[in-house]
Amino acid sequence: MTAILGGLPASVLAFVYLVAGVLFIQGLRDMTHPRTAPRGNLISAGGMALAVGVTVLVTDILSPILLFAGLLVGGAVGVWLAATVETTEMPQLVGLFNGFGGGASALVAGAELIDMFGTGSFQIGVTATAALAGIIGSVTFWGSVVAAGKLHGVVDDSAVRYSGEQAVKALFLIAAVLAGAHLVTRPNLLGAVPLAGWVPSYWVLVAAASILGVLLVVPIGGADMPVVIALLNSYSGLAAATTGFVLDNSVLIIAGTLVGASGLILTVIMCESMNRSLANVFFGGLGETSEGDEEMEDIYEGNITTTSPEEVEMTLDVADRVVIVPGYGMAVAQAQHAVAELAELLEGEGVDVEFGIHPVAGRMPGHMNVLLAEADVPYEKLRDLEEINPTFSQTDVVIVIGANDVVNPSANDAGSGPLAGMPVLNVGEARTVIVNKRSLSPGFSGVPNPLFAQDNTNMLFGDGKEMMQELVNIYKENH
């Protein structure tokens, strides 16, 4: 029985890793429902703490004190980010976390190669998986940095297209693969590429894959970032699993596989919700602009009807069924608590209230679900696109707060453009539509919204939180 540092049998370490893997699976299972998601989060975190803790204690990597110091610093940074980052900036943070996972995988794989070359023990299986981890990890890191930059506004969120872009991407992919092949087939040269002198081929691979990561995300428009974030999440899991094979670490393989598989499933679901193909995401084919967008600007002229909280309250007085459709604007205004209070007041008067949730509303998967759960809106009140769309024709009032692209009826029209063919919430079929926005500016896609000019639509201009709170106050006074 092989022993590790401190005399602990290898079988015991394997058992602890197995327990951690089971905790990961149970945690992921609990995360499938909002009620059990907090518990799932804690279970998964406990599994990771167990895996990291036993690894630090029983394996001869570095001084346990030094490793624990690193854990404390990293944990402190994580707590600080969680406490200080605004809810509206959470998608950017999730994107960066994806990138950190990919970057760490690439660095760990590189460190293992350096150690292997130092001992002179060359294993083709290790070098091959290390090369794969380097490619996936580097693409994930730099792709996530660009995605987070687009979401945060520090990088142009438009789809940047240029002639021959697919050929350029293919060139860097081929360069990364060739550097990996050289690493695997000629390890006795310490991975040095003859044309690059002293530069190890692994780092050539990392450089080529890093540029590829940037090129893959730059052509994708900001409206499609939720799908990109989900895909990069899958990439980070694949990078971690591959690094697990490099290190022969079962818990890393389990955790990475779970993240990779769940991220890929989520990506496919979101692509179906946007009527996109997965190939579009892989090759950066999302977010193309429409040549006809500018011609739609004149749809607003003379066709906009404005309203006030007082008038909205009178409309709600005679409503039997109300559907609330939240969007990114609700997140920006932090209006979820006022919206939840309004829904509670309406239900107290016997009004049937539901929430219509589009899969890609907001800036990350499940963004609206998280905000409404924070405001204690019962999960049973949330309806997805397929459930809620058939009911709009029997709905008296729809309140759209901060949503734009996901309720844009132009997506149902034939043609090209960022929204063409994307399933949307058909709120315009309701008797009355109240749209709360600061202005008539388009959504992330840049496409003007004909819904705002419909005869049954009333625009409630103003900050989402202020307008909803004023509406709540007026409703309380009159009931």
Side-chain angles (χ1 to χ4, degrees):
M1 189 178 295
T2 304
I4 303 180
L5 185 65
L8 185 70
S11 59
V12 175
L13 180 62
F15 176 75
V16 174
Y17 282 168
L18 178 62
V19 172
V22 171
L23 291 176
F24 293 154
I25 295 171
Q26 180 60 43
L28 187 62
R29 180 178 180 275
D30 286 347
M31 289 182 199
T32 59
H33 196 284
R35 284 204 189 96
T36 57
R39 182 180 68 196
N41 227 347
L42 290 175
I43 291 175
S44 298
M48 182 57 70
L50 177 64
V52 172
V54 72
T55 301
V56 170
L57 288 173
V58 305
T59 56
D60 188 12
I61 305 173
L62 291 173
S63 165
I65 295 177
L66 183 61
L67 289 174
F68 274 117
L71 290 174
L72 287 175
V73 172
V77 172
V79 170
W80 175 74
L81 287 172
T84 58
V85 172
E86 297 291 337
T87 306
T88 53
E89 297 175 343
M90 201 58 64
Q92 295 95 296
L93 183 61
V94 170
L96 284 177
F97 282 165
N98 290 339
F100 291 160
S105 296
L107 290 175
V108 169
E112 183 66 13
L113 285 175
I114 292 173
D115 183 62
M116 187 176 67
F117 291 148
T119 61
S121 175
F122 308 114
Q123 301 177 38
I124 292 180
V126 175
T127 54
T129 51
L132 188 58
I135 293 175
I136 301 174
S138 301
V139 167
T140 302
F141 177 76
W142 288 104
S144 297
V145 168
V146 175
K150 281 177 174 276
L151 289 171
H152 202 61
V154 295
V155 177
D156 186 3
D157 61 13
S158 62
V160 180
R161 313 308 300 269
Y162 53 91
S163 178
E165 62 177 281
Q166 302 299 346
V168 173
K169 295 174 194 174
L171 180 64
F172 282 100
L173 176 60
I174 292 171
V177 171
L178 289 178
H182 183 275
L183 176 69
V184 173
T185 58
R186 306 188 71 183
N188 58 313
L189 296 181
L190 299 182
V193 177
L195 294 179
W198 58 271
V199 181
S201 58
Y202 180 77
W203 302 116
V204 173
L205 174 154
V206 167
S210 298
I211 297 173
L212 177 62
V214 174
L215 295 177
L216 283 172
V217 179
V218 164
I220 303 176
D224 296 311
M225 279 304 112
V227 181
V228 176
I229 293 295
L231 182 61
L232 290 171
N233 179 53
S234 176
Y235 284 178
S236 69
L238 293 175
T242 308
T243 305
F245 283 106
V246 174
L247 301 175
D248 193 22
N249 187 296
S250 59
V251 74
L252 199 55
I253 295 172
I254 294 172
T257 301
L258 289 172
V259 173
S262 58
L264 187 59
I265 292 171
L266 179 60
T267 302
V268 171
I269 292 173
M270 296 185 70
C271 284
E272 291 176 351
S273 300
M274 299 179 70
N275 196 32
R276 308 283 191 184
S277 69
L278 188 57
N280 287 142
V281 185
F282 276 105
F283 296 106
L286 298 183
E288 295 184 28
T289 57
S290 170
E291 296 179 0
D293 288 349
E294 294 182 1
E295 298 177 5
M296 297 179 65
E297 293 290 354
D298 59 355
I299 63 174
Y300 298 148
E301 189 174 353
N303 297 318
I304 300 300
T305 302
T306 60
T307 188
S308 65
E310 291 80 8
E311 292 177 348
V312 174
E313 190 274 336
M314 289 188 287
T315 302
L316 293 174
D317 272 344
V318 296
D320 293 320
R321 173 176 168 77
V322 174
V323 174
I324 300 173
V325 176
Y328 184 64
M330 184 184 77
V332 173
Q334 289 291 284
Q336 62 269 26
H337 294 283
V339 170
E341 186 177 3
L342 175 63
E344 186 177 351
L345 290 172
L346 290 171
E347 289 180 328
E349 295 296 324
V351 179
D352 178 24
V353 180
E354 291 184 327
F355 291 79
I357 309 298
H358 195 284
V360 295
R363 294 294 182 266
M364 69 177 180
H367 199 176
M368 297 302 103
N369 302 64
V370 171
L371 291 174
L372 294 174
E374 179 188 333
D376 296 323
V377 172
Y379 182 71
E380 293 73 19
K381 291 292 180 181
L382 275 56
R383 298 286 181 265
D384 60 26
L385 185 144
E386 289 78 12
E387 290 180 293
I388 202 71
N389 260 350
T391 72
F392 282 125
S393 58
Q394 291 86 44
T395 300
D396 298 308
V397 179
V398 171
I399 300 177
V400 179
I401 173 167
N404 200 331
D405 291 335
V406 297
V407 296
N408 193 327
S410 64
N412 297 323
D413 299 335
S416 61
L419 299 178
M422 184 181 88
V424 294
L425 295 163
N426 298 319
V427 299
E429 296 178 0
R431 189 179 71 183
T432 302
V433 181
I434 309 296
V435 179
N436 172 225
K437 276 177 56 66
R438 290 177 179 271
S439 67
L440 291 172
S441 59
F444 226 161
S445 68
V447 179
N449 196 335
L451 172 70
F452 303 160
Q454 284 188 189
D455 293 337
N456 63 334
T457 298
N458 297 308
M459 300 297 299
L460 179 64
F461 290 115
D463 176 78
K465 184 176 181 179
E466 292 178 1
M467 291 296 101
M468 291 300 107
Q469 193 59 58
E470 187 174 347
L471 179 56
V472 165
N473 295 338
I474 295 172
Y475 200 89
K476 284 180 177 179
E477 291 176 2
N478 295 336
H479 293 80

